Structure formats: structure tokens, C-alpha cells
């Protein structure tokens, strides 16, 4: 496929020196250029001739899923205890400040 088209675009890839050297040496043994080998690989991939690697579930996805399950289960256990408090609600400032002077005296606090 690529031999019929004009080759005017480049792709840059980063490889460790050892991998690049081994690839170039293998291409020389096969009497082909590195560019030609990569073009053949791309053509085969586009034609569907190469097996696609199985998708691995990332560890982050599994951690997030476990966290969500834990949150749902935890909310189910905590919801009844959150619905009713064991102690009565505390009075508001306005309820404590009976003479509405902006200060809660000791006697107002005790009466609260």
C-alpha cells in the first residue's frame, strides 16, 4: 500500500539506544531499511493482519471501582445512624440570647 504513495511525512519515535541498534541490525540481516520495515508493519496493522493486544484493565480503574462499592456499602450502613442523632440538637444563638443583646450571659446559657 505505502509503496504506491508519495512518502512525504515523518513519524518520530523514542527508543532506547539498545533497541534501536538491535532493530537496525535485524533489518540489515533481512536486507531491508528500517523505514521499509516500519512501513510494512504499519501497512499490516492497517490491513488488520496483526493481532490486537488484549486490553488490560488499569489498576486505577479497579481501585476507583472498589472505592465506589465501599462508599455505597458504607453509606448504606451509615445512613440510618445519620438520619437520627442520639442527642437533641443544640439551641441556636438566637434561642440562647433571650434578651437579644448580642451576648449570651451565663444565666442565659444555663437556661438554654
Amino acid at each position: 500500500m505505502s509503496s504506491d504513495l508519495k512518502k512525504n511525512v515523518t513519524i518520530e519515535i523514542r527508543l532506547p539506544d539498545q533497541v534501536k541498534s538491535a532493530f537496525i541490525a535485524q533489518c540489515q540481516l533481512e536486507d531491508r531499511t528500517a523505514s521499509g520495515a516500519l512501513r510494512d508493519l504499519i501497512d499490516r496493522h492497517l490491513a488488520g493482519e496483526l493481532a490486537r493486544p488484549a486490553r488490560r484493565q488499569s489498576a486505577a480503574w479497579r481501585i476507583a471501582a472498589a472505592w465506589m462499592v465501599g462508599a455505597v456499602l458504607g453509606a448504606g450502613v451509615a445512613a440510618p445512624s445519620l438520619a437520627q442523632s442520639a442527642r437533641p440538637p443544640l439551641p441556636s444563638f438566637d434561642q440562647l440570647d433571650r434578651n437579644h443583646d448580642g451576648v449570651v450571659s451565663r444565666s442565659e446559657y444555663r437556661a438554654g
Side-chain angles (χ1 to χ4, degrees):
M1 176 180 172
S2 62
S3 61
D4 301 339
L5 303 174
K6 184 176 178 182
K7 300 169 190 86
N8 59 350
V9 178
T10 60
I11 297 176
E12 182 178 324
I13 60 171
R14 297 179 186 269
L15 298 171
D17 287 332
Q18 298 88 348
V19 173
K20 178 186 172 192
S21 297
F23 180 66
I24 297 294
Q26 183 65 36
C27 288
Q28 288 173 347
L29 288 174
E30 296 173 4
D31 197 27
R32 62 195 302 192
T33 64
S35 295
L38 291 172
R39 279 193 296 271
D40 289 345
L41 177 68
I42 291 169
D43 288 343
R44 289 178 55 208
H45 184 69
L46 293 175
E49 295 174 14
L50 299 178
R52 296 194 176 175
R55 294 187 74 188
R56 288 182 46 213
Q57 291 180 344
S58 70
W61 184 89
R62 282 186 256 146
I63 290 169
W67 183 86
M68 284 186 211
V69 168
V72 169
L73 293 176
V77 171
S81 64
L82 293 175
Q84 295 180 353
S85 179
R87 61 182 190 175
L90 297 174
S92 70
F93 181 83
D94 289 336
Q95 290 173 330
L96 290 174
D97 186 22
R98 297 194 186 258
N99 63 1
H100 303 291
D101 64 351
V103 177
V104 176
S105 66
R106 288 181 191 246
S107 61
E108 289 173 324
Y109 182 76
R110 284 188 206 124

